[in-house]
Amino acid sequence: MTRALPAEHVAQGGFTVHTRGRGFSEITAQVGDAVAASHVQTGIAQVFTAHTSCSLLISENADPAVRNDLERWFGRAVPDGDAIFQHDAEGPDDMPAHVRSILTGVSLTVPVHGGKPMLGTWQGIYLWEHRLDAHQRKVVVTVLGS
């Protein structure tokens, strides 16, 4: 472990993800661009989306079968149109999208080292759209460090 350093710099930026409906959009490059623009070499990047029916996650980025398996598992665990849900104002995928978002989360914290997000070899950052229709999702990246 290196010695403790004060957070000398805070930067915040963002971008919009245009989803094609339910599924994953890899945003690793956009988060990397936001980190690079911050000029922080060592610190943390906090990634956040202010939506209630999509989520953010770090997942396997080499084999798309992993993301397909996640989609199928969530489809079984939180099915569209389940009679248990009362909230269906925007359709049968409305409440299931909220549940999926709550279970997976809307924010991530990633270490920054050498001016880049410090991810594992097979890790990517994804926005996971839980609605069936296409949406525009805003993502905010806040970088703290020196």
Side-chain angles (χ1 to χ4, degrees), residues 65-87:
V66 171
R67 293 178 302 282
N68 293 334
D69 288 347
L70 283 169
E71 193 65 68
R72 282 192 301 279
W73 188 89
F74 267 85
R76 183 182 293 169
V78 190
D80 293 337
D82 193 319
I84 195 171
F85 299 129
Q86 291 180 343
H87 177 76

Side-chain angles (χ1 to χ4, degrees), residues 31-118:
V31 172
D33 291 345
V35 169
S38 77
H39 303 290
V40 168
Q41 292 300 301
T42 303
I44 59 170
Q46 197 271 343
V47 186
F48 173 77
T49 185
H51 300 282
T52 61
S53 53
C54 68
S55 56
L56 297 170
L57 69 150
I58 296 174
S59 183
E60 157 89 47
N61 68 355
D63 186 354
V66 171
R67 293 178 302 282
N68 293 334
D69 288 347
L70 283 169
E71 193 65 68
R72 282 192 301 279
W73 188 89
F74 267 85
R76 183 182 293 169
V78 190
D80 293 337
D82 193 319
I84 195 171
F85 299 129
Q86 291 180 343
H87 177 76
D88 62 358
E90 296 178 15
D93 66 333
D94 194 2
M95 189 61 205
H98 295 310
V99 172
R100 292 171 183 212
S101 175
I102 290 166
L103 291 174
T104 51
V106 296
S107 68
L108 301 169
T109 302
V110 180
V112 172
H113 180 75
K116 298 178 182 177
M118 194 171 157

Side-chain angles (χ1 to χ4, degrees), residues 18-35:
H18 302 273
T19 72
R20 292 174 289 173
R22 184 171 287 164
F24 294 86
S25 298
E26 186 167 6
I27 60 170
T28 308
Q30 293 98 314
V31 172
D33 291 345
V35 169

